[in-house]
Amino acid sequence: MEKLQAFDLVLFGGTGDLAMRKLLPALYRRFIAGQFPAEARVVGVARGDLTRDAYRAQVEASCRNHAVDGFDVAQWVAFAERLHYVRADGARPDSFGDLVQFLRGREAFTRIFFLSTAPTLFAGICDQIGSAGLATSLSRVVLEKPLGQDLTSASQINAHVGAIFSEPQIFRIDHYLGKEAVQNLLALRFGNALFEPLWRRGRIRHVQITVAETLGVETRGPFYDQTGALRDMVQNHLLQLLCIIAMEPPATSDADAMRDEKLKVLRALRPIAGRDVLNKTVRGQYKAGAAVGKPVVAYLDETGVPADSTTETFVAIKAEIDTWRWAGVPFYLRTGKRLQEKLSEIVITFEDVPHSIFDAEARSQSPNRLTIALQPKDSITLTILAKNPGETMRLKPVNLSLDLADSFKTRQLDAYERLLTDIIKGNLTLFMRRDELDAAWRWIDPIREGWQQYDGPPKLYTAGSWGPAAANSMISRDGFSWNGET
Ligand code: BG6
C-alpha cells in the first residue's frame, strides 16, 4: 500500500457525529492499511474542555463500533499515538492559540483543515486560520456539505474561504463521489466501448435516479428542518450522479477535465421555475407508519421539528437536459427519508426495437434496461429479452447480473477512506469546484422559490411507503412508472 506524504489533519467538529461515525474510523482503517507515514498526526478540534485521553477514549469507542474487519488493539494503540485534541472555538476570535502552538514548526508538512462543522461556522474558522497565520502554501481546506442554503449564502462562504485558500486548495466534499459504485459508473461509461453508441437520445428513453432511505431524521431534527431533502440530497448527491450519467467523455481523468464536463451538464439543466414546479416536482413529508417493520412517528413529531413544519422529506423531480445528446430524454430524480427500502440506484431504460418480428402475444412490453445499484449492493444488471423455454415463442425479460463485490472479492474502500486519501494526496477529481456548486444552486433555488409561491404544503406519505402518490402521477403522465412499481 502506497504511503501518504507526511501530514497534519486538523479536524474541526472533531467530537461531532460525522467525525466519530465516519471520518476517524476511516482514518484508523487507512492507518491499519499502512498508509500513515511516521510524521502523520490527526488532531480533533472542538469547543469542549477535553483531555487528550478522554478524546482518545471517545474515538476508540467509535472505531470499535465502526470496525469493518474487526478491531485490532495493537493497531489502535499505535494509531492513538498519532491522535491529539486541541480546544478552539471557530466562532471566537483569538481562541486559536493552542492550535498555533500545536502546528508550530510543522510548516514543511501537508496541512489539512477539515471543516466538519455547521456551514455557518466555515467563514469564521477560515478567517481565524488566516489571521493566526496557519494557512501555508501546503495547506488544504475541506468543506463538508451543505455549503450554504442557497446561491447567495454559498457565494458568501466561498468568498471567505477563497480569501484564505486558492481554488486548488479547496476540497468540497460530496461523499457520493467517493462511493465505489460511482467510480464504477465512470469505469462502465469510459472504460467500455459498448455503451457509448447507445448513450443518447433515440437510444435511451428515460433515466431514473433513486436514493431512498429507511432512516428518518434521527438526532438531526433542527438541522434537517432548516435544510430539507432538496438541499440535503438533490443539490449535491443526486445532481452529481446525474452529471456522471450525462456528461460527455472528458479527454482525461484529470480533475479539471472531469469537472468541466460535469459543469456543462449542470448549466444545460432546463430551469424549473414558477408554476413548472407543479408539473415537474413533487415534495412530500412522512407521516407515522413503519420503518423496517417497526412503528415510527411522523416527521412533525420528531425531536426538534416544529409541529407546523412544511419542510420536505421527499422530493421527486423531472429534470431535462438541453443538449444534443439528451434533448427529450427525461431524468426522473427521487429521494426521501422513511421510504420502504434503503436503496440507491440508477435505471436507464432503452428504446424499444423499431419493429418487432414477433406477434403481439409473443412480445413482452419490457424494453432493455441497465440498472446500476449503488446501495445496498454494488451491482450492474442488464435486462434483456430472451425466449421463455417451451413450445411457443414467448419473450420474457431476464437479467445479466454482475455483483461487483463478489466478482473482485476484496473489501471495498468506504467513501470517506477514499476521499481522505485523495485529500492528503491533493487529488481534486472527486471534489466539487466552485462553479459546479454555483451552477447546482442556480438550478435548485428557483424550485424552492416556486414551491413557496405556488405549491401547497408537502404531500403526506406514510412512513415505509414509496412516497406520495403524486410522485407516481408525475411519472405516469409521461407514460412511465418508477422502477419496481408498475
Ligand atoms: C447525507 C445526508 O449527505 O447523506 C443524510 O445529509 C443522508 O441526510 C446521507 O442520510 C445518505 O448517505 P448514504 O451514504 O447513507 O446514502
Side-chain angles (χ1 to χ4, degrees):
M1 183 70 57
E2 179 199 353
K3 277 242 189 302
L4 298 164
Q5 66 232 40
F7 65 87
D8 280 326
L9 194 149
V10 183
L11 184 52
F12 287 91
T15 52
D17 182 62
L18 184 73
M20 288 296 168
R21 254 183 337 107
K22 297 280 187 184
L23 304 176
L24 290 156
L27 286 164
Y28 169 59
R29 288 198 286 272
R30 289 298 86 208
F31 176 83
I32 295 182
Q35 283 201 289
F36 272 44
E39 308 83 356
R41 300 188 305 179
V42 176
V43 54
V45 177
R47 282 177 300 188
D49 190 8
L50 274 182
T51 62
R52 183 177 178 199
D53 280 346
Y55 185 60
R56 289 201 284 206
Q58 276 187 27
V59 179
E60 179 181 351
S62 69
C63 287
R64 278 181 189 275
N65 278 341
H66 297 95
V68 178
D69 307 319
F71 182 81
D72 182 323
V73 177
Q75 291 279 13
W76 164 257
V77 172
F79 178 70
E81 281 301 305
R82 316 298 188 82
L83 187 61
H84 301 261
Y85 179 77
V86 167
R87 194 175 174 196
D89 183 348
R92 260 191 37 231
D94 306 324
S95 71
F96 274 37
D98 290 350
L99 190 57
V100 171
Q101 193 60 33
F102 182 80
L103 293 172
R104 185 157 293 150
R106 307 264 302 174
E107 290 73 17
F109 300 138
T110 299
R111 185 173 285 180
I112 294 144
F113 299 102
F114 195 122
L115 275 44
S116 170
T117 64
T120 44
L121 296 176
F122 289 175
I125 294 175
C126 285
D127 290 349
Q128 293 201 50
I129 290 173
S131 54
L134 293 177
T136 59
S137 60
L138 294 180
S139 290
R140 288 162 201 160
V141 66
V142 186
L143 308 175
E144 257 300 332
K145 65 160 270 284
L147 224 158
Q149 288 275 304
D150 52 19
L151 180 60
T152 313
S153 54
S155 302
Q156 277 161 3
I157 296 174
N158 278 318
H160 268 274
V161 178
I164 311 294
F165 299 98
S166 63
E167 186 61 30
Q169 294 179 296
I170 305 175
F171 290 70
R172 296 182 190 84
I173 285 219
D174 181 320
H175 79 277
Y176 265 61
L177 291 181
K179 287 186 191 275
E180 189 74 12
V182 176
Q183 309 278 296
N184 254 318
L185 200 49
L186 291 169
L188 182 83
R189 281 205 59 199
F190 304 127
N192 298 287
L194 191 64
F195 296 106
E196 172 53 21
L198 304 176
W199 214 258
R200 60 194 65 246
R201 70 188 305 266
R203 299 294 186 183
I204 290 178
R205 193 186 275 185
H206 62 95
V207 176
Q208 294 183 14
I209 303 178
T210 297
V211 178
E213 296 185 86
T214 51
L215 288 181
V217 296
E218 311 304 297
T219 52
R220 302 194 304 159
F223 158 80
Y224 193 86
D225 201 61
Q226 294 298 310
T227 309
L230 186 68
R231 293 193 275 223
D232 188 40
M233 299 294 288
V234 181
Q235 189 268 348
N236 32 75
H237 306 325
L238 277 88
L239 282 186
Q240 286 293 319
L241 294 178
L242 176 142
C243 283
I244 291 178
I245 296 287
M247 72 200 248
E248 294 298 319
T252 65
S253 62
D254 170 74
D256 277 330
M258 298 274 279
R259 299 190 301 178
D260 287 346
E261 296 306 335
K262 286 196 289 157
L263 177 64
K264 287 183 203 159
V265 175
L266 291 167
R267 288 190 171 156
L269 280 170
R270 185 179 300 175
I272 300 179
R275 291 187 178 279
D276 280 352
V277 294
L278 302 177
N279 302 322
K280 295 188 179 172
T281 75
V282 173
R283 60 178 184 147
Q285 189 186 75
Y286 62 82
K287 47 185 189 171
V292 215
K294 295 214 174 86
V296 291
V297 299
Y299 175 69
L300 295 181
D301 294 324
E302 298 278 13
T303 313
V305 173
D308 58 352
S309 169
T310 56
T311 297
E312 78 287 353
T313 60
F314 173 97
V315 187
I317 300 183
K318 175 183 176 180
E320 290 156 288
I321 305 172
D322 288 330
T323 59
W324 276 38
R325 190 187 281 267
W326 295 117
V329 181
F331 282 66
Y332 299 101
L333 314 180
R334 174 173 67 152
T335 185
K337 300 255 181 222
R338 289 279 188 241
L339 296 182
Q340 203 171 92
E341 280 174 45
K342 175 151 177 80
L343 167 88
S344 302
E345 66 173 22
I346 298 163
V347 182
I348 294 161
T349 303
F350 293 91
E351 292 287 356
D352 225 336
V353 291
H355 161 73
S356 180
I357 63 165
F358 305 105
D359 59 32
E361 213 187 318
R363 270 197 328 253
S364 154
Q365 294 308 308
S366 312
N368 295 131
R369 227 174 30 237
L370 180 67
T371 306
I372 300 149
L374 281 70
Q375 286 172 158
K377 270 196 155 183
D378 185 359
S379 67
I380 298 174
T381 305
L382 185 60
T383 308
I384 58 168
L385 293 184
K387 183 186 165 298
N388 198 28
E391 236 174 78
T392 47
M393 182 54 146
R394 239 176 238 284
L395 302 185
K396 277 199 92 176
V398 282
N399 290 340
L400 289 171
S401 294
L402 178 63
D403 177 327
L404 287 150
D406 230 41
S407 305
F408 292 106
K409 307 233 180 313
T410 49
R411 180 175 84 76
Q412 297 187 358
L413 285 196
D414 165 82
Y416 277 104
E417 288 181 70
R418 179 192 315 284
L419 295 174
L420 282 160
T421 46
D422 276 1
I423 293 162
I424 298 166
K425 288 182 191 163
N427 181 358
L428 282 156
T429 310
L430 300 178
F431 299 86
M432 286 189 286
R433 208 168 53 193
R434 179 174 178 172
D435 46 9
E436 274 184 87
L437 186 85
D438 288 351
W441 280 123
R442 254 187 212 105
W443 189 70
I444 290 288
D445 285 352
I447 298 179
R448 270 195 25 260
E449 286 154 19
W451 284 346
Q452 276 155 17
Q453 236 182 317
Y454 299 104
D455 203 13
K459 313 266 185 310
L460 296 179
Y461 62 96
T462 307
S465 69
W466 277 112
N472 295 340
S473 317
M474 183 185 86
I475 194 168
S476 65
R477 280 198 293 278
D478 293 343
F480 308 130
S481 57
W482 294 105
N483 189 41
E485 295 180 60
T486 35

